[in-house]
Every structure is written in structure tokens, then in C-alpha cells.
Amino acid sequence: MNLRETALDDMDARVADTGTHESSAPRRHVGRSMQRLEDPAILTGRGRYGDDIAVKPGTLHAAILRSPHAHADIVSIDTQAASKLAGVRAVLTRDDLRPWSRPFVVGVKSPMEQWALAMDRVRYVGEPVAVVMAESRAIAEDALDLIKVDYATRDPVTSIEQAAMDDAPVLHERVGSNVISDRNFRYGEPEAAFERAPHRVKLVAHYPRNTCAPIECGVVIAEYLSGDEGFDVTSNFMGPFSLHAVMAMALNVPANRLRHKAPRDSGGSFGVKQAVFPYVVLMCLASRKAGAPVKWVEDRLEHLSAATSATARVSTIEAAVEADGRIAALSYDQMEDVGGYVRAPEPATFYRMHGCLTGAYAIPNLLVRNRVVLTNKTPTGLVRGFGGPQVYFALERLIQRIAIELKLDVLDVYRRNFVPADAFPYRAAAGALLDSGNYQEALRCSLDEGGYRELVARRDAARNEGRLYGIGFAAIVEPSVSNMGYITTVMPADARRKAGPKNGAIASATVSVDLLGGVVVTIASTPAGQGHMTVCAQVVADVLGLDPEDIVVNVEFDTHKDAWSVAAGNYSSRFAGAVAGTVHLAATRVRDKLARVLAKQFDCAPGDVRFEDARIFPHDAEDRGLPFARAASNAPHWAPALMPEGEEPGLRETVFWSPPYMDAPDEQDRINTSAAYGFAFDMCGVEVDRATGRVRIDRYVTVHDAGTLLNPALADGQIRGAFAQGVGAALMEEFRYGADGSFQSGTLADYLMPTTCEVPDPLIVHLETPSPFTPLGAKGLGEGNNMSTPPCIANAVADALGVEDIRLPLTPPKVMAMIGMDDPEPSRPEYREAPGTKPATPGGGRALTARGVVDLPATPEAVFAVLLDPKALANVIPGCHALEETAPNQYRADVTVGVGMIKARFEARIGLSEIDAPRRLRLAGAGISPLGSARGSGLVELTPQGSGTRLTYDYEAQVSGKVAAVGGRMLEGAAKVVLKQLFESLGRQAAGEPVQAHGSWIARVLARFRRQA
Amino acid sequence: MKPAPFDYLRAITAQDALDALAQYGEDARVLAGGQSLMAVLNMRLAQPKVLVDISRTAELDAVRVDKQAGHLVVNAAATQGSVEWRSTLADEAPLLAMAFPYISHFQIRNRGTVCGSIAHADPSAELPLVLSALGGDVMLRSRKRRRTLAARNFFQGMLMTAREPDELVEAVRFPLRKPGERYAFAEFSARHGDFAIVACAAVVTDASIRIAVGGVADRPVTEQWPRLRGDDLRGALNDLSWKLNAQDDAHISAKYRRNLVRQLGWRVIEEAK
């Protein structure tokens, strides 16, 4: 069934390369909770982040003009006025791109093109359309407001289901379909297993778009060098550095002409900083256009709206289940929303998890269909957990459903399906070689140390009192150190054969000793706050017998000067397993070389040279020892003549290491997607407030087995951080889009992340089952709770409410809708106003709507006359500066619209149609402003009412761009205010009253016309 | 995210501020704590030509109790923190003391001003709600005149008030605790410190209930009832929940808002018993 035998056969041979088996000095530092070496600088304001780095005199600041539309053709771009603004140096547009760049390459064979700027068409709100380079960011932003872009809007695709429909608008006509990849996989004999099994349990799981938002957004400083020198870039792009090749190819230069440097400190990445790479290319082009270095700092709105997102996914998952709950076969039908373009490394979200789609379970038969679909949303990419949250939300919800439908204890379902402890290394159906673990033991720890019995008692007590309390579980296998070949699984085997194999997970590290014996470590790892400096120092200190404080770890990364390869960077939890291990190997090489040098002087065997307490000595004669600093620098630097024959002078060792078993996908599409696989078992109790629908986490227990722990304090920090993000994904976080594809989560008041007030302290329990495949036995553990916490909480809420369909995030209104709530009628019907909501549109979102009634002190005829008279109309439209008739009943207008101090000046087209004087007409408007675009259309009906008119309006409006992204809770009300202003002003004009009184006329008008109930 | 260009004037005296407002009117905005204004400026949602900074106008930075008139008077430059951290606040204006912890976070109250929040008139903000519930008032001053408006006349809609462009909200007055009155405040928001989805304040005596609701209508809405109980109270709360004309938006249904009005309304009246 699995390849354990074969695996074990050649394991020794392969693992020998890692150096794990050789003897080393006793561990004094690794495994301890040492304080972080990074912290003094960071905590005293001396961190060196991307935005802190000094730039050359003359460096320009860039601002990016972005699309307010989800889907539109770009008819024209006029940059004249912007170019003339004082302080503006240049404007980069699509016309510059063809001669200087190429579309980005992606892993899917397709005629889809993505350039650094939108070319003919925009495909998501926030897509870059032009770049202004100016003497300051403020001036650059002033200039953005002066660029005129003429868009012809298209119908957007805003949901996965819609994208796959035959009649859906097609994003890329050359592709011909929004389904850009459709792959089927089959492992074992799934059809037969489904046939045979007594039970089938099925679930449709929806995973929303979300992210793990870092504090620091993207920063790029790019310079186009003279002659053929290419580009010099500093950015907080953090890898994978396979994308360096993508950037160089997009810039049409050899990779050695694109020098990339990363700063020391990072304000968080969580994978998301991968999405800086298209901006590296864009700013290189901007620098080329401007003839000067260019700096760009991404702001929060840019980041949330247009940087990246986790994929949304709809999964239909089904299990063939034996009577005792054992799963004989599993089937996934997954559809993944990658946004407007497949951007490298997508569709990696699918394939990162591919080898371990069977999770923690011994399921021999597996059927998979993966469809990648395009929607008019931001392109997706790395987000902490990468692919895991989407898979485990489906799989772990299914485990609960199996228990419920078969009336089993869910813990028994876990126990019966877990990969047995004696089966490791275990080859999962789709190819993952699960390296080590003891899942049964982790479950036992969770129940015992987490107080399962007490939790059950709490649930019983709560339920007896009529409260809603539930318990949930989740078991996840957490892959770390990605096999770079996994992405090629998306290609059919014959295409892979033609392209040649890709595989491996190369890490590199360099340890050097200077003239006074000081040790410097460099790694190609671009850390994002995890504490890599600290752990590297711990690792090297143990090998060389030094204090971690004495070791300097430089984590800046320079593609021209550092040792690096395709897998370099900070992602896929590769530090502990791969990078720290490679540092260990490099330090070991330094030690071994020194041992050979010193063995000659001590006249002993190299194996008998000891490194302890900053001294080097023969094992049997400590008194003959030398200080490390002196011994380590003497022969290699000052007296190379003392070097043994055949030894090079100098002392600097670089190791490149790739884990064993990192093969390319085989002919049957099996792929060992990662080098190591940790495990997490989560358990939680939640209480749901019947009155409000709020989910309160009563207790959360998370058990982790990530092999050897290098620094337990840092490990717990990783777990707490991932847990907080998991809570966010479960309860709050979602990128929301309107029916028109407008982006609606542009601030951190709209995109809700949990704060310390919302995150309880989880109980963390560790097991340590070392990995046989990594040099230090360590595995990644920083992404586990991003994968396990959302389904664990979802399962608990499902248990509390007794519901089946759980959609994230579980916001109080959503939970309350599941609980159900009384909504008694008011005692008098007039308290109830006509409901304002219209049904959701096919895209899934909803439009802004406004219906209202205004009583006007003029006859219908008089009101109609105003509407048909341009001069009077100009007077009526609030904030109208100019109105020009372009055709009968068609106008071009310049209007300022707003509420309170919030205002936007729109260039608008206004049209009257369906005219049936004096009874009804349709009044429509569409406008664009630097704050975004707005469209509205509504029917206006007039009926005589005494001596006046009752005007009824029924509007549907769509607002896109910045104002939709940040307007959040105000938008609905603002649209209503604006319409009300319009029609009340209409009444005044028709009645011959002054329309635009001095001062706060809006207030007066509102005071005058009472709101209709 | 940089603001559009503007001129900056720092008012040394209140008169400086009034002169500037008289001169620039609608083109000017008063900058006090900046906790709403700066974000709006940086997003270019507002583009005033002139900012009149009163944050260092010493004569406007005062909080005092006017025992005779029965008011806690908070001047324009006084921060929320300077009111919240009065050791006597719970005695002077208990409802205000109850509401402060819900106003965003400590750091924001440390800079944000009471008058600024009132002048901004966010329908979900706590201070306009408390001012309305207590029947407080707003003191407006321009170069030409001074006037005082009751809260119910000051708040006119979402982000809209009766303030004329040349007027400064010079102070707001919160009625001091009255014998026989009991108070309660409750709020439901997405996270601690967020704007209210629904907030309720109650002032209850043996004979009456005054309830104010924020976050639902376009301004705080106050109702005065006799001392209802049981089903009568439930019925009144239900009618109120409908009269607020709650709207569906992308995240929250009108039905859910009505539910919260009923739930929180009941809770504050119970607590204020």
C-alpha cells in the first residue's frame, strides 16, 4: 500500500548526505528559549526596514494609478496634465512596456498575458494602469488625479460559479475560457472503493478570499543603471527566488543584470510579500522611463485592494466510508479563484498541498479534479498556510460530517483513520512521503492535557441551561520545505517530459571566520520577523562551541553576493527544516576544517579535536587548548603555511543542501510536495451568544509535532501568530467585493483582523518526533494553525448550532442567521418602511439601492419641466459646476458629490430616458473621479399630491474604486443622502424657491423636508 | 496615501480660529485631534483648502464642571482622554464614563477630542449618542455670534450637523448626574473599539425611560417613554427597532440590526433599573 519499505531501503543512503549522523558537540543552545538577538534594535526604533533605507540623492517617488473598475477596456490614457505638474518627472504608461518588457511567465501553458501594467484591458479593481514619478509622493499622487483614463466597462465575473458558466464574460479572449486549467488525478482504485463502501459522505465547502496582512506593506527602490548594466533593486520581496528569474525575464535582461537586495528587517510577510515581485518589475521600468532611481512604498489601500489574496475555493469533497468510519476513498472536486490573471507561482495554491491531500489519514484511494478559474478580482498568491486552509476546511469539516452521519464519536473517526505511528515514513496516495509523527499520541495529549473531559462537562452544563456550546476538532498535516517541482504537477506527464524534470528545495548558508576569529553567518532566507538570526546563532554556537551572542548573523540578501538558488527565500516554513539545517552543515564544515588544521598542531586525530567554551582542544588534553578566536584565525588567515597539505587558506564555507526524496512528479502524478510534514491536532470549545450570534472561544488547545524544536519560545510565538490569523479567518477576515466587482475592504476598519482583545491565549502542547530527512530533525510549524484553526472553530460552531453548511468568516450576523431570530412586526404598519434591498445579482454581491419618497411643493408638470430644462437641471443637481448638453436629454456634467466633509468631484454623464411626461422618467448617471467611479440609474415617478407632487424614486447604484474600498459602512447611507439632496433640490427649483442657499444649505433643506416614514 | 495640498493655520487663540473660519468658510476644516480628519485627508476623501489647527489653542483646552447650570463643559481642544481620566467622572456623568471604554482604543482617545467627535457626527460614534441620550447641547461660536443648540437639533444626518461653515463647536455640555436617574450603556461592534453596529444608552428613573440608539439611523435617535415593563417594554423596543429604519448593507441585515436594538435596548434598561 505505501512505499515504506522502499523508502527505508534507501533512506540511509540519502540521509547520509545531510550530515545528521555525524557526532557533534553537545547541544547547549539549540532547543532553548533564547531571547531574540533581533529585538534590541527593533525595540529601540533602530530596525532597518525597506522604507528606512537611505536612497541616492535624486531618487524619485512613484505613485500608481489604479483601475477603479473590475473589468473594462482602456480606451485612452491622457497624461498631459499630469506631466505638466511641477515636480513630476515622468509618467510610465502601457506604451512604454512593449519595447522594454515582456509578459510575466507562469506555470500554466496558456496564451494569457499579464504585463506590469494593464495593456488593453483592466481585470480587477486596483490593477496598475500608469505610474507617476515625481519629486515627492504627495506630488506624484496629485498628478494621479490629473491623469484621464477613458474606460469602457465590461460585465465582471465575480464568483467561481459564475466564472465557470458557459455564458460568462471571458476575461482573456485568447484563452477563450475562464477555466484556465482543468486537471484530473487518480490514485489507487477510487471508483471501486466508492462502489464497495457502505456509506458515502459528501460536503460542499466554500473558502473565502482573505489574507494575512503584514504591518509593513511593499517597498521597492529600483534603479536603471547606465549602459547594459541592467537594474539594481532593493525591495522587501522575500521569495521564492525562483521568481527572480520571472522578474528578469519580464525585464528582458539576463538574471545577472537584475541585482536584488533585501533589507535586514521586515514588518511581516506571511507569504504575502511574494506579491511585491510585479512591482519590482514595474519600478525598474519606471526608473528606466524617469532616468533616475525610483522609490515606491505601497500604502494600505493599495496593499489590501491589489497586492494579493488567498484563493477562494469551492470544494465538493466526498468520502467512501466503511461502517466503522474508516475512509476507503476520498474525492475532491475543487474550483479555485485565482483572480484576473494566473500570476506566478499560481496555481501553486492547489499543488503545494497536492501530495498530502489525504491529510493525516491512511486513505489509499484518491480522486482529484482541480479547476483554476479566473475572476475579476486581485490575483492570488502566497498567504501563510498556502493551500492548506482551503484543503483542510473541506477535509476537516468532512470528518465531522462522517461522525455525525454514521453516528460515531468523531474521535474514533480520527483514531481509525490516522496514519499509524509505526508506518512512518508513510507514502500518501498522492505522493507525500510523511517523514515522521505520532498522530495518535498527539490526539491523546490533546485530550489529556487539554482537559477534554472538562470541556464536555462545560458543554453539557451550558446546554442544560439552554446555551449554545460546541466542541470542535481539527487534525492537519503541516507541510514544510516545498519541493520546487510540485508546481509542475499542473502539467500533464507528457508535457513534463518535454520540459524536463524540476524538483528539489535547495537551501544555502555560509559561515565564515574573520581575522580575529569572529564568526559571520549569511543565509539566503529573507526573514520576516521569525527570529532567524537568533536560531542561526544558536545552531552555529553549538557546532563551534561559542556563545550565540558572539556570532553575527547577516540576513540581508544580495543576489550578486550571496550563495542562493531557486528555492531561496522565506516561505513554506522552510527555515527550521532547511535553512537552519544548512547553517548547521556549513558550521560543521568550518569546524571540520579547523579540526583538521588543529589536529596537525595538537598532533591528534581530527575527530579528537573538541570545540567548547570558546576554546579548541584535544579531547584528552584540555590544558593544551587554544582560544577559538586565535586558533580559528591563525592558520587560515595569518599563517597559511600552517595549513595542512591540500587545505585551502581562508575560512569560509558555503553549503548548498537539498532534502532527500524531493523528486519530480512521477508518471502517475505522484509528488512528494514537501520535505517534511509536521502535525497539529486542535480542540476547542466555543459558546455562541443567542442574542447576538457572537462566537466566543472558551478554550483552545493546539498540539504540535514539528520534530525537534530549535527555540521553543520562537516556536510558541509562531503558533500564537498563526492562531491569531486562524481566528481571524474563522470569524472575521474576508476580502469583500460588490456585485460590480468593486473592492470593499480597503481599510483595516473594513478588513477586520482580530486584535489582542479578540484572541484568547491557546494552550500549546508540543511533541517532538524528529524528522529523519532534515539535518536538525526540525520541521516547520508556523503555518499549522492557519490550516487547523478555521475548521476547528467551524466544527465547534457547527456542533453548537447543529448545522451543516458553515461559511467563513463566521461573523455575528451570519451566525445569527443560522440560529434564527424573531423579528416581530411593529405595532403600527407605518413604522415599517418599504424594504430597500434587491435580490443579489448573478455575481453574488449586491448593488447599492435606494428607494424613497419626497413630497415636493410644485406640480408634476413644474417638476418635469425642471428635469427637461438643462439650465434648471444644472441648478438642481447638488454641487453641479457645469452642465453641457451633448445630445437631446444627454448631458456632460462636472459635479461635486458628497456627504459632510467627504466630497468627490465627478466628471459625469447624465441621461434622461423612458420619458413619460409628467408621470415618470428614468434618470441615469455615470461618473468618474479620482476617488473612483459611480453609476446609478433609477426610475422617478411623479404623482399629484394636493397642490404638490409626491416623487418616488427607486435607484440602483454601483460605486467602485477608492470610495467603495474605504467607504464601507457609510456608502449605503451616503448614496441615499445624495439622492435625497437631488430630489429635494428638484422640488425647490420647481417651486421657484432658491436652491443653493448660502452656507449649510444641505442641512436646511433636510431640516425643512421631514423624512418620510 | 498623501493628502491633497492645503494651507495650515495654527490658532493661538480662539479668535484666530474664528477669524480663519470667517474668512475661509466651507473651504476650511478645523483640526483638533485629527482622529477622523487625518484619515479622510490622507485618502483624499476631503480636500479642504485650509486646516485650522486648534489642538494647541490653550484657551480651548478646558474641561470644567458648571455646578449651577448642572453641566460638564468640554471645550473644543479637550481630548477624550482628558475627560475620561477625570477621577470624578463617574460621579459627574456616569453615562459618559460608561461609554468611553467603547470609543476606539486608548491611543485614539488620547488624541481625539470630544468636540471633534460631536462635530464629525458619525452616526455610529458613541459621544453623539451619549450627548443625545443626556439631552446635552452644543455651543457654537462664530466671529459674529454665539448660539447653543440642543443635541437633537445639532445632529442632522450622516456626518451632517447644523454647524455653519464659519462656526466652531466651541464646547459641548453634558448634563451632570441627576438624583433619581440611573444609566446604562451597551454596544455591539465587530471588534472591541470598532464603531458600533448598534449602541444603546438608557437613562431610567422610577417614572420614565429615555433610550437612545446609535449606529442604525443616520444620527442618534432618542425616545422618551413612561416606565414601561415586560411586554409593553418589549413592544416599545420593537417599534423603536422598526422606526429607526434599519437598512441592509453588504455585511449586516436590517433584521439583524433590529434584533440588536431589541436585545441591547432591553439590556440597558434592565441594567439601569
Side-chain angles (χ1 to χ4, degrees):
Chain A
M1 182 175 75
N2 72 63
L3 302 182
R4 187 169 166 248
E5 302 300 318
T6 2
L8 287 176
D9 279 346
D10 63 349
M11 190 167 83
D12 286 343
R14 296 226 207 174
V15 170
D17 300 339
T18 67
T20 337
H21 290 180
E22 59 186 297
S23 65
S24 56
R27 281 185 181 177
R28 295 164 188 270
H29 304 290
V30 170
R32 295 220 178 140
S33 292
M34 195 185 125
Q35 280 216 336
R36 287 158 42 104
L37 300 177
E38 291 87 342
D39 286 350
I42 291 173
L43 296 177
T44 54
R46 288 163 182 240
R48 292 200 296 274
Y49 298 91
D51 195 21
D52 298 326
I53 290 169
V55 294
K56 272 187 172 178
T59 298
L60 300 174
H61 298 267
I64 300 171
L65 183 73
R66 293 171 180 277
S67 168
H69 297 293
H71 201 188
D73 291 322
I74 301 176
V75 179
S76 63
I77 303 175
D78 179 357
T79 60
Q80 248 188 347
S83 303
K84 285 183 188 152
L85 187 70
V88 171
R89 188 73 63 83
V91 183
L92 184 81
T93 66
R94 56 184 176 173
D95 297 335
D96 303 308
L97 262 60
R98 282 188 201 279
W100 292 344
S101 67
R102 289 190 284 175
F104 294 109
V105 295
V106 284
V108 179
K109 285 263 173 295
S110 166
M112 183 212 78
E113 281 189 3
Q114 185 185 14
W115 298 72
L117 290 174
M119 299 301 273
D120 307 327
R121 206 195 278 195
V122 290
R123 293 183 175 85
Y124 61 97
V125 170
E127 182 168 3
V129 172
V131 186
V132 174
M133 290 74 82
E135 286 162 16
S136 76
R137 174 68 176 248
I139 294 172
E141 290 189 21
D142 291 346
L144 292 187
D145 292 354
L146 300 174
I147 298 177
K148 290 203 182 335
V149 183
D150 191 6
Y151 294 100
T153 56
R154 289 172 169 268
D155 288 337
V157 174
T158 57
S159 74
I160 293 174
E161 294 86 346
Q162 185 202 358
M165 286 177 189
D166 288 338
D167 58 348
V170 173
L171 268 74
H172 296 267
E173 260 138 30
R174 291 175 60 190
V175 179
S177 162
N178 296 325
V179 181
I180 196 165
S181 166
D182 186 350
R183 286 276 281 138
N184 285 280
F185 302 91
R186 190 178 165 276
Y187 304 97
E189 299 291 339
E191 300 85 357
F194 270 101
E195 197 95 335
R196 268 198 318 268
H199 301 281
R200 284 178 164 217
V201 180
K202 189 171 171 177
L203 179 90
V204 179
H206 298 257
Y207 190 83
R209 278 185 167 246
N210 58 23
T211 189
C212 293
I215 291 178
E216 176 203 39
C217 299
V219 178
V220 179
I221 303 155
E223 183 176 6
Y224 178 60
L225 303 169
S226 59
D228 292 330
E229 284 187 72
F231 300 94
D232 188 292
V233 177
T234 300
S235 92
N236 51 12
F237 169 72
M238 84 323 162
F241 275 81
S242 50
L243 294 175
H244 182 269
V246 174
M247 293 187 267
M249 287 159 81
L251 286 166
N252 232 342
V253 293
N256 61 359
R257 299 295 183 199
L258 172 61
R259 180 179 184 182
H260 186 278
K261 292 171 284 188
R264 191 191 89 158
D265 292 314
S266 162
S269 167
F270 316 119
V272 168
K273 290 271 171 64
Q274 165 258 325
V276 173
F277 91 85
Y279 295 103
V280 169
V281 172
L282 188 59
M283 292 306 141
C284 283
L285 297 173
S287 169
R288 187 165 183 176
K289 178 80 185 252
V294 168
K295 178 176 180 178
W296 171 71
V297 179
E298 182 180 51
D299 66 33
R300 184 62 61 186
L301 174 59
E302 293 182 286
H303 181 78
L304 288 172
S305 62
T308 193
S309 162
T311 60
R313 188 179 295 180
V314 178
S315 311
T316 305
I317 185 169
E318 188 173 13
V321 190
E322 308 291 353
D324 64 355
R326 274 185 303 120
I327 302 167
L330 201 57
S331 151
Y332 285 91
D333 185 347
Q334 310 186 98
M335 293 175 77
E336 178 117 296
D337 159 21
V338 296
Y341 300 87
V342 181
R343 187 173 68 190
E346 294 289 17
T349 306
F350 261 150
Y351 293 96
R352 190 242 180 151
M353 297 301 296
H354 193 81
C356 59
L357 278 174
T358 43
Y361 315 113
I363 304 172
N365 305 300
L366 175 68
L367 208 53
V368 183
R369 183 180 186 192
N370 283 343
R371 275 174 284 177
V372 178
V373 308
L374 298 162
T375 65
N376 289 111
K377 296 182 183 178
T378 300
T380 60
L382 270 61
V383 173
R384 194 174 185 178
F386 199 43
Q390 291 88 338
V391 165
Y392 289 118
F393 184 65
L395 181 58
E396 291 306 295
R397 288 282 303 122
L398 184 72
I399 298 295
Q400 187 190 48
R401 293 305 309 164
I402 290 172
I404 290 169
E405 293 192 18
L406 273 63
K407 297 190 172 55
L408 298 169
D409 182 345
V410 71
L411 294 173
D412 287 334
V413 179
Y414 281 120
R415 290 185 186 110
R416 287 170 194 161
N417 283 291
F418 276 156
V419 172
D422 61 3
F424 292 96
Y426 173 85
R427 182 73 75 179
L433 184 61
L434 304 181
D435 51 334
S436 67
N438 189 340
Y439 304 168
Q440 306 281 356
E441 176 65 8
L443 187 151
R444 195 196 57 73
C445 282
S446 171
L447 302 187
D448 290 358
E449 297 183 36
Y452 174 59
R453 248 187 242 174
E454 194 201 332
L455 214 52
V456 172
R458 288 171 76 81
R459 178 172 64 184
D460 292 345
R463 287 183 176 176
N464 282 338
E465 293 169 20
R467 291 184 285 132
L468 298 168
Y469 195 104
I471 297 175
F473 302 93
I476 62 112
V477 163
E478 179 181 359
S480 55
V481 190
S482 284
N483 179 350
M484 297 307 283
Y486 77 67
I487 185 60
T488 62
T489 317
V490 70
M491 299 196 291
D494 53 342
R496 288 199 301 263
R497 241 173 279 129
K498 274 180 221 153
K502 290 197 174 58
N503 70 296
I506 303 167
S508 52
T510 300
V511 176
S512 57
V513 178
D514 68 24
L515 305 187
L516 296 177
V519 177
V520 176
V521 181
T522 59
I523 48 175
S525 182
T526 56
Q530 300 100 323
H532 293 186
M533 287 165 69
T534 305
V535 175
C536 288
Q538 288 176 279
V539 168
V540 173
D542 273 352
V543 175
L544 299 180
L546 300 172
D547 262 347
E549 284 82 0
D550 295 335
I551 290 163
V552 169
V553 183
N554 186 321
V555 295
E556 291 166 359
F557 175 33
D558 180 339
T559 57
H560 271 185
K561 302 179 87 172
D562 282 299
W564 64 283
S565 181
V566 58
N570 179 25
Y571 60 96
S572 83
S573 297
R574 63 194 304 281
F575 175 74
V579 178
T582 306
V583 167
H584 173 83
L585 299 179
T588 304
R589 261 194 216 167
V590 166
R591 189 199 61 197
D592 290 352
K593 180 170 175 178
L594 274 176
R596 291 193 297 274
V597 173
L598 272 297
K600 187 178 156 199
Q601 295 177 28
F602 293 146
D603 197 20
C604 67
D608 291 336
V609 179
R610 292 281 174 272
F611 294 73
E612 277 171 41
D613 299 327
R615 291 176 67 79
I616 306 176
F617 53 88
H619 75 111
D620 54 357
E622 203 165 332
D623 54 322
R624 288 173 56 210
L626 297 165
F628 176 90
R630 194 173 140 205
S633 60
N634 191 31
H637 289 302
W638 300 102
L642 294 177
M643 297 295 279
E645 213 174 294
E647 294 286 348
E648 286 175 11
L651 194 48
R652 175 185 170 105
E653 294 292 339
T654 294
V655 170
F656 284 85
W657 176 80
S658 188
Y661 306 111
M662 295 274 86
D663 300 318
D666 68 13
E667 290 293 305
Q668 286 78 45
D669 291 323
R670 277 177 306 208
I671 172 72
N672 183 22
T673 31
S674 300
Y677 300 84
F679 180 71
F681 189 82
D682 285 8
M683 168 174 79
C684 75
V686 304
E687 180 163 1
V688 181
D689 181 5
R690 271 189 195 281
T692 63
R694 170 105 73 205
V695 175
R696 183 182 65 82
I697 298 168
D698 185 39
R699 180 181 300 176
Y700 201 99
V701 181
T702 183
V703 180
H704 285 257
D705 185 348
T708 309
L709 290 181
L710 304 180
N711 181 324
L714 294 186
D716 284 359
Q718 287 296 312
I719 290 168
R720 286 205 170 82
F723 171 67
Q725 290 168 332
V727 169
L731 302 178
M732 295 177 189
E733 299 188 35
E734 181 176 16
F735 282 138
R736 292 187 170 100
Y737 287 83
D740 57 348
S742 59
F743 178 76
Q744 299 178 340
S745 307
T747 73
L748 294 177
D750 303 287
Y751 184 84
L752 300 180
M753 298 160 70
T755 70
T756 42
C757 304
E758 285 79 38
V759 183
D761 202 16
L763 174 71
I764 300 169
V765 181
H766 291 288
L767 286 179
E768 294 189 56
T769 314
S771 172
F773 301 153
T774 65
L776 295 166
K779 317 184 192 189
L781 90 171
E783 301 180 81
N785 287 88
N786 294 78
M787 307 178 188
S788 60
T789 298
C792 185
I793 292 174
N795 283 340
V797 171
D799 183 47
L801 305 185
V803 295
E804 184 179 337
D805 187 14
I806 296 272
R807 306 259 177 130
L808 303 181
L810 287 160
T811 61
K814 218 186 270 181
V815 173
M816 203 63 201
M818 290 192 286
I819 298 172
M821 54 195 147
D822 291 337
D823 193 28
E825 290 294 314
S827 63
R828 295 162 65 168
E830 62 265 33
Y831 293 155
R832 170 198 258 279
E833 187 165 301
T837 313
K838 293 195 171 170
T841 57
R846 51 183 286 290
L848 293 171
T849 57
R851 294 177 188 187
V853 179
V854 189
D855 286 335
L856 307 176
T859 62
E861 287 76 11
V863 172
F864 227 90
V866 171
L867 286 169
L868 296 178
D869 171 9
K871 263 198 188 146
L873 191 62
N875 230 359
V876 162
I877 296 170
C880 183
H881 308 284
L883 184 90
E884 170 202 345
E885 189 163 11
T886 54
N889 295 321
Q890 299 296 316
Y891 307 98
R892 190 187 293 276
D894 174 9
V895 288
T896 298
V897 179
V899 287
M901 68 169 151
I902 294 171
K903 293 188 188 101
R905 192 161 180 167
F906 280 87
E907 200 175 279
R909 291 201 187 89
I910 295 169
L912 306 177
S913 59
E914 299 170 36
I915 298 170
D916 175 11
R919 282 178 289 273
R920 55 188 286 165
L921 58 72
R922 177 170 294 278
L923 179 58
I928 190 158
S929 84
L931 294 182
S933 69
R935 272 185 292 165
S937 170
L939 216 50
V940 181
E941 289 186 289
L942 308 175
T943 46
Q945 175 98 353
S947 63
T949 301
R950 170 156 285 194
L951 181 150
T952 314
Y953 57 90
D954 182 354
Y955 262 80
E956 196 168 296
Q958 288 174 331
V959 178
S960 195
K962 191 196 273 184
V963 77
V966 306
R969 68 200 165 89
M970 297 274 184
L971 214 52
E972 199 92 15
K976 288 184 169 62
V977 170
V978 169
L979 284 170
K980 223 171 171 59
Q981 285 171 6
L982 171 68
F983 292 117
E984 285 166 350
S985 157
L986 174 66
R988 298 164 67 81
Q989 173 79 18
E993 293 174 36
V995 174
Q996 308 239 3
H998 167 265
S1000 179
W1001 65 272
I1002 296 171
R1004 289 203 204 111
V1005 168
L1006 280 181
R1008 193 168 190 133
F1009 294 94
R1010 299 185 70 89
R1011 293 176 52 135
Q1012 299 294 309
Chain B
M1 219 181 265
K2 305 287 179 198
F6 56 81
D7 287 334
Y8 170 88
L9 299 177
R10 182 185 296 166
I12 308 297
T13 65
Q15 195 57 49
D16 292 342
L18 300 174
D19 288 347
L21 291 173
Q23 187 179 348
Y24 298 104
E26 277 204 274
D27 289 334
R29 289 303 301 187
V30 173
L31 171 65
Q35 298 304 292
S36 299
L37 181 60
M38 293 311 294
V40 163
L41 287 181
N42 283 340
M43 289 190 269
R44 299 191 175 217
L45 295 172
Q47 305 194 2
K49 295 200 175 82
V50 180
L51 281 193
V52 182
D53 183 358
I54 60 162
S55 65
R56 291 180 230 190
T57 312
E59 67 185 282
L60 293 175
D61 184 8
V63 183
R64 68 193 165 84
V65 169
D66 181 344
K67 277 213 171 121
Q68 262 185 325
H71 288 133
L72 175 70
V73 184
V74 182
N75 280 19
T79 64
Q80 293 160 14
S82 71
V83 180
E84 179 185 4
W85 305 322
R86 288 169 72 81
S87 57
T88 47
L89 186 68
D91 282 335
E92 293 157 355
L95 188 61
L96 199 51
M98 292 171 187
F100 268 122
Y102 290 93
I103 303 173
S104 199
H105 299 277
F106 178 94
Q107 291 84 344
I108 290 178
R109 302 197 294 274
N110 193 31
R111 274 202 179 262
T113 62
V114 171
C115 289
S117 173
I118 298 294
H120 188 50
D122 189 307
S124 295
E126 292 81 2
L127 289 170
L129 176 66
V130 170
L131 192 71
S132 300
L134 293 176
D137 44 33
V138 180
M139 303 173 80
L140 294 159
R141 183 178 165 195
S142 69
R143 204 158 63 177
K144 291 186 208 133
R145 61 169 179 168
R146 281 189 153 103
R147 60 183 180 133
T148 301
L149 288 178
R152 67 178 177 282
N153 296 325
F154 180 76
F155 298 114
Q156 305 244 314
M158 189 170 73
L159 307 185
M160 292 189 292
T161 69
R163 186 186 74 86
E164 295 289 341
D166 65 343
E167 284 179 315
L168 175 72
V169 174
E170 191 182 27
V172 292
R173 302 196 300 202
F174 294 91
L176 293 173
R177 155 186 233 147
K178 292 193 188 75
E181 281 189 350
R182 294 173 298 274
Y183 310 89
F185 185 91
E187 175 172 316
F188 191 82
S189 58
R191 296 171 300 188
H192 174 77
D194 280 357
F195 276 106
I197 296 169
V198 173
C200 286
V203 181
V204 175
T205 70
D206 291 343
S208 71
I209 294 171
R210 190 160 65 240
I211 181 164
V213 182
V216 186
D218 62 353
R219 70 197 86 173
V221 171
T222 306
E223 289 211 351
Q224 180 91 26
W225 301 332
R227 186 68 183 89
L228 303 173
R229 289 164 212 283
D231 285 347
D232 292 339
L233 181 56
R234 274 180 230 284
L237 282 168
N238 186 43
D239 282 348
L240 175 59
S241 77
W242 284 95
K243 280 190 271 185
L244 295 168
N245 187 23
Q247 299 289 319
D248 287 313
D249 70 19
H251 322 319
I252 302 166
S253 70
K255 187 176 164 185
Y256 182 73
R257 289 182 203 273
R258 284 193 294 275
N259 173 63
L260 284 183
V261 171
R262 290 186 290 258
Q263 300 283 356
L264 298 189
W266 182 266
R267 195 184 301 169
V268 286
I269 291 166
E270 281 288 300
E271 277 174 25
K273 259 197 311 207

